[in-house]
Amino acid sequence: QAQLVQSGGGLVQPGGSLRLSCVDSGNIFSIYDANWYRQAPGNQREWLAEITRGSSTSYADFVKGRFTISRDNAKNMLYLQMNSLKPDDTAVYYCNAGGSLGHWGQGTQVTVSS
């Protein structure tokens, strides 16, 4: 069964950086466009960024210029580089392939706090 397994995350001070990683054990990134989402306590899950199979990218306005989505097709890896982190970025972050009905990572906690 295809799986997306995430790593990275943790506690970082405001203004700091983190990189999230997501490995695809089922080669599904070769089939679907890939996304990052997040969900903060009490909030709905929100879309952050997408990278297509052709490596075109798009971002939610509130992360544009701070977050970068990338992929390494040879390694079946998806990344989210997060810079200039703010306390409002605190959430559980999820990688995704194929949209809301597609495949999801297990989620990883990112906490931005001094």
Side-chain angles (χ1 to χ4, degrees), residues 1 15 28 93:
Q1 183 177 357
I28 54 178
Y93 285 69

Side-chain angles (χ1 to χ4, degrees), residues 78-99:
L78 177 70
Y79 303 101
L80 185 68
Q81 177 67 43
M82 304 184 292
N83 299 327
S84 302
L85 284 162
K86 308 173 184 179
D88 285 349
D89 294 317
T90 296
V92 177
Y93 285 69
Y94 298 90
C95 60
N96 164 270

Side-chain angles (χ1 to χ4, degrees), residues 20-50:
L20 306 182
S21 300
C22 178
V23 62
D24 162 22
S25 65
N27 208 31
I28 54 178
F29 284 154
S30 66
I31 301 172
Y32 299 106
D33 299 334
N35 299 273
W36 287 97
Y37 289 76
R38 72 185 182 190
Q39 187 167 17
N43 290 354
Q44 290 187 336
R45 191 170 295 187
E46 58 184 1
W47 173 79
L48 303 176
E50 179 185 71

Side-chain angles (χ1 to χ4, degrees), residues 2-111:
Q3 282 190 310
L4 301 180
V5 179
Q6 298 179 221
S7 59
L11 174 64
V12 64
Q13 292 187 340
S17 297
L18 281 175
R19 189 176 81 157
L20 306 182
S21 300
C22 178
V23 62
D24 162 22
S25 65
N27 208 31
I28 54 178
F29 284 154
S30 66
I31 301 172
Y32 299 106
D33 299 334
N35 299 273
W36 287 97
Y37 289 76
R38 72 185 182 190
Q39 187 167 17
N43 290 354
Q44 290 187 336
R45 191 170 295 187
E46 58 184 1
W47 173 79
L48 303 176
E50 179 185 71
I51 185 164
T52 68
R53 285 166 290 167
S55 295
S56 296
T57 59
S58 56
Y59 297 91
D61 286 343
F62 56 86
V63 302
K64 199 174 295 183
R66 299 191 299 125
F67 291 8
T68 303
I69 189 171
S70 62
R71 65 196 300 166
D72 184 333
N73 293 330
K75 296 180 180 179
N76 290 343
M77 293 293 298
L78 177 70
Y79 303 101
L80 185 68
Q81 177 67 43
M82 304 184 292
N83 299 327
S84 302
L85 284 162
K86 308 173 184 179
D88 285 349
D89 294 317
T90 296
V92 177
Y93 285 69
Y94 298 90
C95 60
N96 164 270
S100 60
L101 299 180
H103 303 266
W104 292 89
Q106 81 277 19
T108 186
Q109 177 70 44
V110 171
T111 302

